[in-house]
Amino acid sequence: AQSVAQPEDQVNVAEGNPLTVKCTYSVSGNPYLFWYVQYPNRGLQFLLKYITGDNLVKGSYGFEAEFNKSQTSFHLKKPSALVSDSALYFCAVRDWDDKIIFGKGTRLHILP
Amino acid sequence: NAGVTQTPKFRILKIGQSMTLQCTQDMNHNYMYWYRQDPGMGLKLIYYSVGAGITDKGEVPNGYNVSRSTTEDFPLRLELAAPSQTSVYFCASSLSVGGGRLRMGNQPQHFGDGTRLSIL
């Protein structure tokens, strides 16, 4: 079965520093990968997706993600973190039957 | 543009009671979904629908029912509330842009702000 893993429950980053939120996946065939963000008491918001093409995908709010096929990873990155980036981040992968499987989430804390 | 609207935002139920969580979207999306979110567990798919009149089970459908009589609405029904159904419920929708490989798994989902449900 397809699966997605977010190995870190929480990531702390100082404001202005680069941030990385890790995601690894296991799929058969070509992966369809997504990142979502969730702010307190809100639903998930789409950030970016990888379907095919360039391994570096750019998304909303200055975020980008790098698809690495050999390492089966799709890490979320941002060059300079903002306090307002503090939120819960979910990686997701398309399952064999077209449904989306979400990771357990990584809580990102940006320290002023 | 309202997007996906869920009501109510909060609800407390007693064991054995029933209720319907409402979800409506104004984006003319053909696909709709119900998820539950439990702490540290990510999102689990309860039911989904690929169009009016068509529904199917997700990963955790037991104890729930759905219907899809219109494109806009996708209510979730709890018939006999149990403490294990205490959770935050999210409705989502997405657009299918074609047949073949271009199905629901390719498109981003748009989420409502959730219904926080406690069963006591």
Side-chain angles (χ1 to χ4, degrees):
Chain A
Q2 323 288 53
S3 65
V4 61
Q6 294 181 242
E8 302 156 317
D9 291 335
Q10 182 168 311
V11 172
N12 297 324
V13 177
E15 185 178 23
N17 283 3
L19 69 87
T20 299
V21 183
K22 296 180 180 178
C23 172
T24 60
Y25 63 89
S26 174
V27 302
S28 54
N30 295 324
Y32 287 18
L33 297 156
F34 303 81
W35 275 103
Y36 287 82
V37 60
Q38 185 181 29
Y39 298 102
N41 299 315
R42 301 297 302 275
L44 277 67
Q45 296 179 31
F46 169 74
L47 278 178
L48 50 80
K49 69 178 181 181
Y50 173 84
I51 304 297
T52 186
D54 195 349
N55 289 345
L56 186 63
V57 179
K58 294 189 181 298
S60 305
Y61 311 121
F63 283 94
E64 58 189 25
E66 185 171 11
F67 171 67
N68 188 315
K69 188 173 184 177
S70 63
Q71 297 185 3
T72 62
S73 67
F74 189 55
H75 299 334
L76 182 70
K77 299 182 179 184
K78 187 172 182 180
S80 179
L82 301 172
V83 172
S84 57
D85 293 330
S86 297
L88 187 57
Y89 290 81
F90 290 94
C91 183
V93 65
R94 188 189 73 163
D95 200 354
W96 63 271
D97 60 354
D98 257 356
K99 292 189 285 293
I100 301 298
I101 298 174
F102 289 87
K104 293 184 178 182
T106 297
R107 190 163 298 281
L108 178 63
H109 287 284
I110 307 302
L111 309 170
Chain B
N1 188 356
V4 178
T5 302
Q6 292 183 238
T7 57
K9 293 188 182 303
F10 307 93
R11 186 72 184 267
I12 298 174
L13 286 181
K14 294 182 179 179
I15 295 171
Q17 286 186 320
S18 62
M19 79 163 292
T20 299
L21 282 65
Q22 302 292 345
C23 175
T24 187
Q25 52 94 7
D26 62 0
M27 297 173 284
N28 202 31
H29 286 174
N30 43 357
Y31 291 144
M32 295 188 75
Y33 317 81
W34 274 106
Y35 294 92
R36 60 177 288 171
Q37 183 180 27
D38 300 302
M41 299 299 293
L43 276 74
K44 302 291 185 183
L45 182 64
I46 304 172
Y47 270 95
Y48 67 100
S49 169
V50 300
I54 306 171
T55 63
D56 209 345
K57 295 178 180 179
E59 185 179 359
V60 290
N62 291 344
Y64 307 95
N65 279 300
V66 294
S67 60
R68 184 93 182 271
S69 58
T70 67
T71 299
E72 295 79 16
D73 300 309
F74 190 42
L76 177 72
R77 178 82 177 166
L78 282 71
E79 290 295 350
L80 289 171
S84 61
Q85 293 177 306
T86 293
S87 188
V88 182
Y89 291 85
F90 288 100
C91 179
S93 69
S94 66
L95 181 65
S96 168
V97 295
R101 288 176 60 81
L102 294 177
R103 295 174 293 184
M104 62 177 172
N106 296 22
Q107 302 305 315
Q109 297 182 11
H110 298 255
F111 285 79
D113 284 337
T115 294
R116 285 151 185 78
L117 181 63
S118 295
I119 315 296
L120 303 177

